[in-house]
Amino acid sequence: MTESKAFISGCKGLTITPEEKAFFAGERPWGFILFGRNIGEPEQISDLTASLRDSIGNPDAPVLIDQEGGRVQRIRPPIVPQYPNGAAIGEIYRRDREQGLRAAWLMSRLHAFDLMRFGITVDCLPVLDVPIEGSSDVIGNRAYGHDPQAVAAIGAAAAAGLKGGGMLPVMKHMPGHGRAFVDSHHKLPVVDVPFEELAKSDFVPFVAMKNELMAMSAHIVFTAIDPENPATTSPKVVHDVIRGHIGFDGLLMSDDVSMNALAGNIEERARGIVAAGLDLVLHCHGIMDEMLQVARVVPVISGETLRRVNAVEAGFAKPDASDEAALRDEFNGMLAIV
């Protein structure tokens, strides 16, 4: 099989175009990501994931989605139920720890039932960010709460639910997006607090879950670590904090390279991501000119990235024997009480 290149790509619409098919065949992204613009009818979603994989000749290529619940839920009713946001799961946890952990596991296990039938194998969940008072609502109620230990425990349960369903999770946004006072889709957040404070709060959930296989970076400047570059393009943050302090040795992908927290054109951003030591560049928007810029600069997967990719690909397991209807009833019962 031809080697893959170190990026994940979106596509523009409900089906892939001849131009996209030729691009994917020639440039061979490692995986794909779906957004709301790619979601029509159930059969269409399955056809799209199959055609994406077929375009690169890899029936096992990862297909990712952001299916958190709340406002970040790409597949919505009537195709799948509307799920609560992370804060709602955190509220159950605050009332009853064991019930909260069960709710987190159940919701992820139900996501897996929903997504696997369409050929989607990776959910960009859990959100391990720990927001502070006054921070941007770009995270907001997507977060499980303000206690890093609780966020870690709920996040671990959510990840376990996905893995029980045969999917893999992606932790986000490493090493922490909770202190952002602006939306990194539009502006560059700058966090100006000491390392020790970050280590006692923001980094804690990621340290607790450092053995997961995949994580997504944060487009945030931490002035105590690297005052010049956001984490996504900072060799110092990647090597000293993510690989060092946190101890994460899994597959590290960028948040979307199109987000305007990053400086320069798409090609310059992609170069910066690769130079910082991330494994994969994530490009989400399906804009062909930008996709071509990314593909020009990312390397063929090799070395440490190849080792991490192989670990991810070996990490997919068969779903457990859970009964979907029973789990839905249990989860809906929890929500009714809330």
Side-chain angles (χ1 to χ4, degrees):
M1 185 179 290
T2 307
E3 295 170 311
S4 298
K5 293 179 78 170
F7 74 112
I8 295 167
S9 185
C11 63
K12 196 66 176 174
L14 300 177
T15 60
I16 62 171
T17 66
E19 183 184 25
E20 287 172 337
K21 185 175 182 180
F23 170 78
F24 297 145
E27 299 296 346
R28 298 193 57 79
W30 177 70
F32 302 95
I33 188 164
L34 301 185
F35 283 83
R37 66 177 184 273
N38 306 123
I39 306 304
E41 301 295 330
E43 186 176 356
Q44 169 270 324
I45 306 170
S46 298
D47 289 345
L48 177 58
T49 60
S51 63
L52 288 167
R53 292 186 170 107
D54 184 63
S55 72
I56 59 172
N58 181 3
D60 300 316
V63 177
L64 292 69
I65 200 167
D66 295 288
Q67 191 79 348
E68 297 174 11
R71 59 191 159 93
V72 180
Q73 180 173 323
R74 310 306 186 195
I75 306 180
R76 292 182 172 272
I79 300 174
V80 303
Q82 178 61 50
Y83 291 94
N85 55 38
I89 302 300
E91 182 57 32
I92 297 172
Y93 178 93
R94 281 183 288 280
R95 295 180 184 187
D96 183 316
R97 184 179 186 276
E98 291 307 313
Q99 282 285 93
L101 297 179
R102 180 63 176 170
W105 186 91
L106 282 168
M107 189 162 84
S108 284
R109 184 64 186 87
L110 294 172
H111 284 325
F113 277 118
D114 294 339
L115 299 172
M116 288 284 283
R117 60 174 55 104
F118 300 125
I120 299 167
T121 53
V122 177
D123 193 359
C124 298
L125 185 76
V127 177
L128 297 183
D129 306 308
V130 183
I132 62 169
E133 190 69 32
S135 60
S136 167
D137 65 2
V138 67
I139 299 300
N141 61 20
R142 297 167 63 191
Y144 298 121
H146 302 278
D147 174 9
Q149 299 292 346
V151 170
I154 298 167
L162 291 174
K163 291 183 286 187
M167 300 189 70
L168 287 180
V170 177
M171 301 179 289
K172 56 189 186 188
H173 304 81
M174 195 178 276
H177 205 299
R179 293 179 188 269
F181 280 83
V182 297
D183 184 343
S184 55
H185 290 86
H186 307 296
K187 295 181 179 180
L188 176 62
V190 177
V191 172
D192 188 17
V193 299
F195 180 91
E196 292 73 21
E197 188 172 342
L198 297 168
K200 287 190 294 186
S201 179
D202 304 57
F203 303 161
V204 167
F206 297 104
V207 172
M209 294 185 65
K210 66 183 181 181
N211 293 324
E212 295 294 334
L213 294 173
M214 286 185 281
M216 181 183 293
S217 69
H219 296 337
I220 295 183
V221 167
F222 296 93
T223 59
I225 305 161
D226 183 347
E228 302 297 326
N229 303 293
T232 298
T233 56
S234 171
K236 191 167 181 60
V237 172
V238 172
H239 294 107
D240 295 357
V241 178
I242 293 176
R243 301 301 189 193
H245 176 84
I246 290 172
F248 176 67
D249 190 37
L251 191 68
L252 181 62
M253 66 187 71
S254 72
D255 204 345
D256 183 11
V257 68
S258 302
M259 292 165 62
N260 287 326
L262 301 181
N265 62 34
I266 297 296
E267 184 172 327
E268 291 165 342
R269 296 174 186 183
R271 286 187 189 279
I273 291 166
V274 172
L278 276 74
D279 296 299
L280 300 172
V281 176
L282 175 64
H283 183 269
C284 296
H285 284 208
I287 299 170
M288 182 55 67
D289 176 63
E290 295 184 358
M291 292 156 66
L292 289 165
Q293 290 183 59
V294 171
R296 272 199 298 271
V297 301
V298 296
V300 170
I301 291 173
S302 63
E304 287 295 285
T305 295
L306 180 59
R307 176 180 63 80
R308 293 172 183 135
V309 160
N310 287 339
V312 167
E313 293 174 352
F316 289 101
K318 290 183 178 180
D320 60 31
S322 295
D323 180 87
E324 180 177 0
L327 295 187
R328 289 199 185 277
D329 286 346
E330 181 183 356
F331 186 63
N332 289 337
M334 287 183 173
L335 297 184
I337 294 171
V338 174

